[in-house]
């Protein structure tokens, strides 16, 4: 889920896995190749008992609202086969200490936000009452402007496990990252491997 242009999907495919990639970016799906890619919002997927493993990385889980995270976990649970695995990574509490509220204005000839020249005004802030970060972007081109709010939930180990296990998964293991490094309380990320229950 959130496969982008297929970087990790291709690696899994090359190792012999049968892979289905979902992404809501038409540009990413157009770039991806060799695999069953679907242009789809993963909150709208409707699979049943089809997959052995579901993967959502790059801390995408934490950008969803609490309600949408619940919807997604229910859909993943339904899509996985018996004893299927769910792999998720999230921001871990030490991330709060390095996150810096910023404000900036950049002028670009074209790039990430638009192929045309643009100005991007960025602001970021941490909200302690909800343990969220917010990155706001205002992208202005000659003919248009767009505004993006990117929220991200910060977790403790306990809050992460509790949220996922509430949706009928059981923690199998927890790591510092998706590469499988040993978990430490000092790491800014954590990756959980959960097993479908029931």
């Amino acid at each position: 889920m959130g496969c982008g242009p297929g970087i990790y999907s291709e690696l899994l495919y090359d190792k012999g896995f049968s892979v289905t990639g979902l992404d809501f970016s038409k540009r990413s799906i157009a770039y991806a190749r060799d695999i069953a890619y679907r242009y789809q919002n993963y909150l709208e997927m409707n699979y049943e008992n089809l997959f052995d493993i579901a993967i959502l990385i790059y801390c995408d889980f934490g950008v969803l609202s609490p309600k949408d995270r619940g919807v997604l976990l229910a859909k993943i649970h339904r899509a996985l086969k018996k004893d299927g695995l769910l792999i998720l990574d999230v921001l871990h509490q030490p991330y709060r200490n390095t996150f810096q509220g910023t404000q900036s204005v950049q002028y670009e000839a074209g790039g990430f936000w638009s192929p045309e020249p643009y100005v991007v005004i960025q602001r970021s802030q941490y909200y302690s009452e909800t343990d969220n970060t917010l990155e706001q972007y205002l992208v202005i081109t000659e003919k248009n402007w767009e505004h993006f709010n990117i929220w991200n939930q910060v977790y403790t180990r306990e809050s992460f496990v509790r949220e996922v296990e509430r949706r009928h998964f059981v923690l199998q293991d927890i790591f510092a990252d998706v590469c499988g490094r040993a978990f430490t309380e000092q790491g800014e990320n954590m990756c959980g491997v959960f097993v479908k229950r029931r």
Side-chain angles (χ1 to χ4, degrees), residues 11 28-29 39 61 79 133 156 160 168 182 185:
L11 292 172
S28 291
I29 293 299
Y39 167 62
F61 184 67
T133 62
T156 63
F160 177 43
H168 310 294
E185 288 295 340

Side-chain angles (χ1 to χ4, degrees), residues 183-197:
F183 174 78
T184 71
E185 288 295 340
Q186 292 73 42
E188 292 187 6
N189 293 73
M190 61 184 156
C191 178
V193 179
F194 298 87
V195 181
K196 175 179 177 175
R197 181 167 41 112

Side-chain angles (χ1 to χ4, degrees), residues 60-76:
D60 271 7
F61 184 67
V63 304
L64 300 171
S65 69
K67 178 183 175 188
D68 284 347
R69 292 195 303 263
V71 167
L72 180 60
L73 288 172
K75 287 184 174 285
I76 292 170

Side-chain angles (χ1 to χ4, degrees), residues 60 86 161 171 184:
D60 271 7
L86 167 61
V161 172
L171 179 68
T184 71

Side-chain angles (χ1 to χ4, degrees), residues 3-7 9-10 21-22 29 32-39:
C3 64
I7 296 167
S9 300
E10 297 290 337
L22 300 179
I29 293 299
R33 60 195 194 300
D34 295 336
I35 290 171
Y37 288 107
R38 309 265 190 270
Y39 167 62

Side-chain angles (χ1 to χ4, degrees), residues 95-112:
Y95 176 77
R96 299 179 200 128
N97 303 327
T98 58
F99 181 84
Q100 303 218 342
T102 59
Q103 294 188 57
S104 66
V105 178
Q106 293 179 307
Y107 304 90
E108 301 288 342
F112 179 79

